[in-house]
Amino acid sequence: MTTIPPEQIADAHLLEADGEIFLYEISPSEGSGTVRIKADNTVSWRGNDYEGLPLKWEGESYSADGTVARPTLTIGDEQINLMVLKPLLFDGTIDGGTLVRHRILLDDLLNDRLVTTTDEYRIQRVTGYSRSQIGLALARQADALNFSLPFHQYYSPDFPSVNIS
């Protein structure tokens, strides 16, 4: 029988679990220029800086029949100027782009460990934009399912009705 280290026993008796931190990466549909953000303060994780901004994540829910509600992300508030994101909005590349949300424990963030749960969303549309606030409507990559569809090619002879001309 193995003995349990005392620090693990002490950690198990804490009234509050480690804090969850959410890190967001917004990538445009064309070109480059990933924007990395986090609610509140700026942090560095895995060699990337995540800029601290006011964020509001709403509408995420799951049901027993497998459908997933489409969440929204609101970036900013009345005290901040988001003009730095203006080029992504006005050239249209944020529509159809991707948003990756990393869920990581505070201890793993502080110790720069790659222990995370990652969700990937497609930016369906910009729901609103002002100098101080941006609203994004999101959808799963495969709508209502939590996976990405694999690439598949349909060629003869496996598919006799397909002709290559």
Side-chain angles (χ1 to χ4, degrees):
M1 180 176 215
T2 61
T3 60
I4 300 172
E7 55 272 358
Q8 288 183 2
I9 294 173
D11 189 47
H13 288 98
L14 292 176
L15 294 177
E16 294 181 15
D18 287 341
E20 285 185 324
I21 308 295
F22 294 97
L23 305 174
Y24 301 90
E25 297 176 0
I26 300 172
S27 299
S29 59
E30 297 175 9
S32 61
T34 299
V35 176
R36 292 176 175 87
I37 56 176
K38 175 195 171 297
D40 301 327
N41 58 334
T42 300
V43 297
S44 182
W45 180 65
R46 308 296 295 166
N48 295 312
D49 291 330
Y50 291 80
E51 184 70 30
L53 293 172
L55 300 175
K56 186 178 191 181
W57 181 271
E58 293 181 301
E60 183 177 45
S61 66
Y62 300 90
S63 70
D65 64 1
T67 58
V68 180
R70 294 181 177 172
T72 60
L73 177 67
T74 305
I75 304 168
D77 65 13
E78 296 303 319
Q79 310 300 320
I80 194 165
N81 188 344
L82 294 174
M83 294 303 283
V84 70
L85 298 175
K86 183 178 176 181
L88 287 176
L89 293 168
F90 290 117
D91 68 6
T93 59
I94 200 164
D95 289 327
T98 58
L99 181 132
V100 176
R101 182 174 77 156
H102 299 283
R103 181 181 312 181
I104 183 171
L105 293 178
L106 177 61
D107 187 54
D108 294 328
L109 177 76
L110 295 174
N111 292 303
D112 207 23
R113 293 187 204 113
L114 185 59
V115 180
T116 179
T117 302
T118 302
D119 296 313
E120 187 172 333
Y121 298 89
R122 178 176 41 85
I123 299 172
Q124 191 173 22
R125 71 182 188 284
V126 177
T127 58
Y129 172 73
S130 69
R131 177 191 58 77
S132 59
Q133 207 168 47
I134 299 169
L136 303 174
L138 308 171
R140 292 280 183 175
Q141 291 290 30
D143 210 14
L145 300 172
N146 193 9
F147 64 88
S148 296
L149 295 175
F151 176 75
H152 192 82
Q153 294 180 341
Y154 299 94
Y155 290 123
S156 301
D158 295 331
F159 298 91
S161 61
V162 176
N163 295 322
I164 300 174
S165 42

